[in-house]
Amino acid sequence: MIGDKKIVFSGVQPSGNLTIGNYLGAIKNFSRFSEDYKTFYCVVDLHSITVRQVPAELRRRTYETLALYMACGLDEKKNTLFVQSHVPAHAELGWILDCYTMFGELSRMTQFKDKSQKHAENINAGLFTYPALMAADILLYQTDLVPVGIDQKQHLELARDVAARFNQIYGDTFTIPEGYIPTDTMKIASLAEPTSKMSKSDPNPNACVYILDSKDDIMRKFKKAVTDSDASVRYSEDKPGVSNLMTIYRAFTGKSLEEIEREFDGRGYGDFKLAVGEACADGLAPVREEFARLMADKAYLEQVMKNGADEAAYYARKTMSKVRRKIGFVN
Ligand code: AQP
């Protein structure tokens, strides 16, 4: 607790252009906590170097991710917005928690297995210990609630296990965090391969709709989206492409699945895809406009980063001094 408020922490990697998966699964939900919780939202640049990044792009995307947080409705005065590498305690606690996280636990992480396959030439130790750093991010702020998509559930459970293990050895040190996984949008699928997650690092540009895509691009991508040969707009496990489009349409319009089925009853996929594209492009238009405005003032973004890092570091220091004392490091 900070004052009488519970604590929320989440982060997004500046590892590519953010997709509507990142938006609907995570960022869009962040602002609902701004009033009643103490919120920390971080651009997790340390995580992003587990995969090779082009330095100039990483720097640009770090600004962009922060600007997107703000453009998606996160008021910098109500939320602590910052960059992970600006608060060195993340790396410090990350190392400490490496020593309380088991090799076997990390070996079971599906993200490690997936990314090792995708980046077979660079299976580095950071990719393997990524979940321990993520645990550090969360535990550093004594977080109660972590809003994430379903792909992060396994990492979050590991963070809980590591916290519980540390607490068992040293007495109460960390709050055990809970996940906040939105039931309607926890997994937005790829438009090209609807059984896989939409991922910002997917090399196929038609697989993803990016938050900053132009309306033309959005319409074109939805038109090309993989569906099936059945031609009925119906939500079903055996229709992953159509069900994914319905999920996206529901998220942008607020309509229920039944309403959507009725709306497109007897109409082909062509009409439906156009409607999904329109709803998505219209929903994102204000975000795009606000993003452009914010990116034009880099000095202000730097001020936000600095204020955020100062405030985050203050709370991080409290946890770190407790951790150091418990472990037995000389103060
Ligand atoms: N397709 C998705 N549907 C719902 N939620 C998603 N998230 C990511 N993709 C989807 C959520 O977005 C938040 C930030 O994700 P991240 O940047 O930490 O990395 P990630 O989960 O690995 O996302 P990506 O887009 O797949 O990134 P890359 O390609 O760099 O690995 C998280 O809360 C995540 O759950």
Side-chain angles (χ1 to χ4, degrees), residues 28-309:
K28 188 166 177 269
N29 305 307
F30 289 177
S31 55
R32 72 177 62 195
F33 302 104
S34 301
E35 296 296 336
D36 300 329
Y37 291 78
K38 174 73 191 161
T39 53
F40 295 90
Y41 295 122
C42 185
V43 180
V44 288
D45 55 349
L46 296 176
H47 284 283
S48 68
I49 61 163
T50 53
V51 170
R52 286 281 176 270
Q53 304 291 334
V54 176
E57 283 181 15
L58 177 60
R59 201 170 293 119
R60 173 173 55 78
R61 284 181 177 139
T62 301
Y63 283 95
E64 287 179 354
T65 306
L66 180 78
L68 265 179
Y69 277 175
M70 294 159 73
C72 290
L74 290 178
D75 180 341
E76 64 279 18
K77 298 197 176 66
K78 292 186 181 160
N79 304 274
T80 304
L81 308 179
F82 68 106
V83 177
Q84 186 186 27
S85 65
H86 292 176
V87 182
H90 285 257
E92 187 183 358
L93 186 58
W95 166 255
I96 291 172
L97 295 185
D98 276 348
C99 304
Y100 298 83
T101 307
M102 299 301 134
F103 181 86
E105 288 174 316
L106 293 171
S107 307
R108 285 194 288 277
M109 296 293 116
T110 54
Q111 180 172 295
F112 173 68
K113 292 182 201 163
D114 290 350
K115 292 209 167 168
S116 318
Q117 263 181 5
K118 279 191 201 152
H119 305 278
E121 74 304 337
N122 182 25
I123 307 177
N124 59 72
L127 193 63
F128 188 62
T129 60
Y130 181 115
L133 179 59
M134 178 166 155
D137 300 337
I138 297 167
L139 303 182
L140 202 48
Y141 301 98
Q142 306 293 349
T143 302
D144 295 286
L145 209 57
V146 188
V148 280
I150 192 86
D151 61 312
Q152 293 298 335
K153 186 166 184 257
Q154 199 184 26
H155 289 168
L156 191 62
E157 276 164 8
L158 183 59
R160 289 166 54 86
D161 291 346
V162 172
R165 181 173 303 140
F166 196 99
N167 287 353
Q168 205 192 5
I169 302 172
Y170 298 107
D172 202 18
T173 310
F174 296 122
T175 302
I176 309 286
E178 301 278 344
Y180 175 89
I181 298 178
T183 45
D184 287 356
T185 52
M186 61 189 174
K187 184 182 170 190
I188 302 298
S190 152
L191 296 191
E193 239 181 278
T195 47
S196 318
K197 180 183 93 138
M198 184 182 285
S199 222
K200 60 172 120 63
S201 56
D202 195 320
N204 177 358
N206 291 321
C208 297
V209 174
Y210 303 112
I211 303 179
L212 298 172
D213 269 347
S214 67
K215 181 162 184 177
D216 284 352
D217 282 342
I218 294 177
M219 298 305 292
R220 184 175 48 75
K221 289 179 183 181
F222 278 113
K223 269 188 215 161
K224 280 200 181 153
V226 169
T227 43
D228 52 48
S229 54
D230 170 44
S232 70
V233 176
R234 192 166 42 81
Y235 193 92
S236 159
E237 231 173 75
D238 59 359
K239 291 165 72 67
V242 173
S243 300
N244 185 43
L245 295 181
M246 290 178 76
T247 300
I248 295 169
Y249 191 58
R250 170 175 61 182
F252 281 106
T253 60
K255 292 175 185 172
S256 69
L257 295 175
E258 296 70 40
E259 282 173 308
I260 300 169
E261 287 180 354
R262 272 202 303 278
E263 186 179 349
F264 294 96
D265 189 23
R267 294 162 67 186
Y269 287 156
D271 267 9
F272 174 53
K273 286 177 172 182
L274 284 182
V276 182
E278 290 277 349
C280 174
D282 292 351
L284 295 176
V287 175
R288 254 195 329 265
E289 276 167 36
E290 183 59 7
F291 173 82
R293 195 186 67 75
L294 289 160
M295 283 301 286
D297 192 351
K298 231 170 153 185
Y300 185 66
L301 291 176
E302 283 166 359
Q303 192 58 54
V304 172
M305 283 179 190
K306 182 175 184 315
N307 294 347

